[in-house]
Amino acid sequence: MKKNQSVQPLVLLFAGQGNPVIGMGSDLWDRNASTKQIWDCASDITGKDIRRLCQKGPMNRLIQTTVQQVAVTAINVMLYRLWAEQPEPAHIVGACGHSVGEYSALYAAGAITLEALFGMIDVRANIMHDISQRHKGAMLAVKGADYQTMKNLISGSGMAVDISCDNSPCQQVIGGTVSELSQFSRILMDFSFDVVKLGVSGAWHTRLMSEGVQRMRDALAGFDIRPPVHDVMMNVTGQAEFNPEQIRENLSLHLTHTVQWTHSMASLLQQSPPVMFVEMSNKAYLGQILNDFTGFTPEALIHCRKVTGL
């Protein structure tokens, strides 16, 4: 499908970290000078050979947030660049990135440069990694539960577990210490919920990351952020934000606040005229989440790889 084959306005969706695989993004490494520039920028700013780590691992390095966040971001923006280089015009009205994908969405909206993008990701990933080494945590995806149901279960248990991501009316991600999650998972199994452990190295978007909020505020003060050229639905609020200072604050609070994906997607699905979603990810999964929403039809989603022939 070409970009101009739909009369609908477009919303770009950018993936976050989750389940990395050795070899991810390998087909994008040498597509053209643009993709090479992205890999080089990611490696130069972080001081890590991101391309080699994606290609050969080892997996215990690739799942580390200091590598995974940069790798996911590099793949996101390479796919976006290849998609944007298609000759057909596109009417982009918004973007939304899941967790770390929010930074890719801001880049696509012209709010930050490529260098600032990887600089921010490097700072964020290192802060999160540092805290996760002192406050060990994990995350579980729970299928079959909406936000309020999960909130009630957590409240009733009295356990120190947080809702990291409100992904859809049928999927929540929770985080906490390994011991708390282990105990709470027994409650989830009693209710016959489907529980999957995520391949991440910490409990993101939970109280365990509290020490990082001010550190992110201090670090982001050194980066230039411009008003986005189109809506960027922010995870902390589930709403679009154009004020650079509020964007900085939202990115800082991002470490401890629930990703409001359900609210963001529901709002986008209510727009008139209806939007077409374009998923920017190494492996399609955000589109699968959209199937949980009333009003969504598969015809309203395309994956950037189909558009670019990748």
Side-chain angles (χ1 to χ4, degrees):
M1 178 181 287
K2 299 297 183 181
K3 287 193 289 186
N4 67 344
Q5 281 185 301
S6 171
V7 296
Q8 293 173 301
L10 302 178
V11 171
L12 310 181
L13 303 180
F14 291 89
Q17 66 184 101
N19 291 295
V21 294
I22 301 297
M24 65 181 190
S26 59
D27 58 332
L28 307 174
W29 294 340
D30 299 311
R31 299 292 296 191
N32 57 32
S34 180
T35 60
K36 290 179 181 179
Q37 177 200 16
I38 292 167
W39 280 115
D40 289 344
C41 185
S43 296
D44 290 346
I45 288 177
T46 63
K48 300 179 178 69
D49 191 342
I50 300 299
R51 175 159 51 180
R52 188 177 188 284
L53 285 166
C54 285
Q55 182 181 16
K56 297 185 177 181
M59 182 57 80
N60 63 356
R61 285 287 311 282
L62 191 56
I63 65 171
Q64 290 179 359
T65 197
T66 51
V67 175
Q68 190 180 162
Q69 288 193 29
V70 180
V72 165
T73 301
I75 293 169
N76 281 352
V77 296
M78 279 191 293
L79 287 167
Y80 167 72
R81 282 268 194 95
L82 291 169
W83 177 83
E85 288 169 2
Q86 299 296 301
E88 296 80 13
H91 179 39
I92 302 172
V93 297
C96 192
H98 193 280
S99 190
V100 71
E102 184 163 74
Y103 289 78
S104 300
L106 288 168
Y107 167 75
I112 53 178
T113 65
L114 187 67
E115 291 75 15
L117 169 66
F118 286 114
M120 290 176 174
I121 295 296
D122 190 43
V123 167
R124 179 184 191 266
N126 277 287
I127 288 174
M128 292 169 69
H129 174 72
D130 176 52
I131 296 172
S132 71
Q133 296 304 292
R134 290 179 284 109
H135 302 285
K136 301 290 185 180
M139 300 173 74
L140 301 175
V142 184
K143 297 180 182 179
D146 62 16
Y147 178 83
Q148 193 59 51
T149 297
M150 185 59 63
K151 185 177 179 181
N152 291 343
L153 284 174
I154 291 173
S155 177
S157 73
M159 297 180 187
V161 174
D162 296 312
I163 300 176
S164 301
C165 308
D166 176 13
N167 282 342
S168 82
C170 304
Q171 185 188 121
Q172 305 297 306
V173 174
I174 58 175
T177 64
V178 174
S179 60
E180 291 280 335
L181 279 184
S182 178
Q183 294 180 57
F184 190 69
S185 65
R186 298 189 186 99
I187 296 175
L188 296 174
M189 286 187 287
D190 288 341
F191 281 87
S192 300
F193 290 122
D194 185 10
V195 180
V196 178
K197 187 177 187 300
L198 298 184
V200 295
S201 55
W204 317 140
H205 312 292
T206 73
R207 70 191 77 186
L208 295 181
M209 294 287 112
S210 297
E211 295 173 16
V213 173
Q214 188 58 49
R215 290 172 64 180
M216 281 298 298
R217 288 192 184 110
D218 295 341
L220 291 174
F223 290 96
D224 181 46
I225 299 177
R226 300 179 294 275
V229 297
H230 55 245
D231 287 357
V232 175
M233 306 295 284
M234 305 217 64
N235 288 179
V236 167
T237 62
Q239 300 176 352
E241 181 57 63
F242 289 89
N243 184 306
E245 290 308 311
Q246 189 58 53
I247 290 173
R248 283 192 180 87
E249 180 64 9
N250 287 349
L251 292 174
S252 301
L253 295 174
H254 201 201
L255 268 62
T256 57
H257 283 51
T258 302
V259 173
Q260 300 288 345
W261 196 255
T262 294
H263 187 81
S264 296
M265 295 303 103
S267 296
L268 292 168
L269 283 165
Q270 292 172 6
Q271 289 194 13
S272 181
V275 301
M276 173 76 76
F277 295 94
V278 183
E279 182 173 354
M280 302 285 170
S281 63
N282 183 60
K283 188 175 182 180
Y285 77 91
L286 293 175
Q288 296 174 4
I289 295 175
L290 277 169
N291 286 313
D292 293 341
F293 289 82
T294 301
F296 172 75
T297 60
E299 294 76 19
L301 171 74
I302 55 177
H303 195 278
C304 60
R305 287 185 177 274
K306 291 184 178 180
V307 177
T308 56
L310 294 174

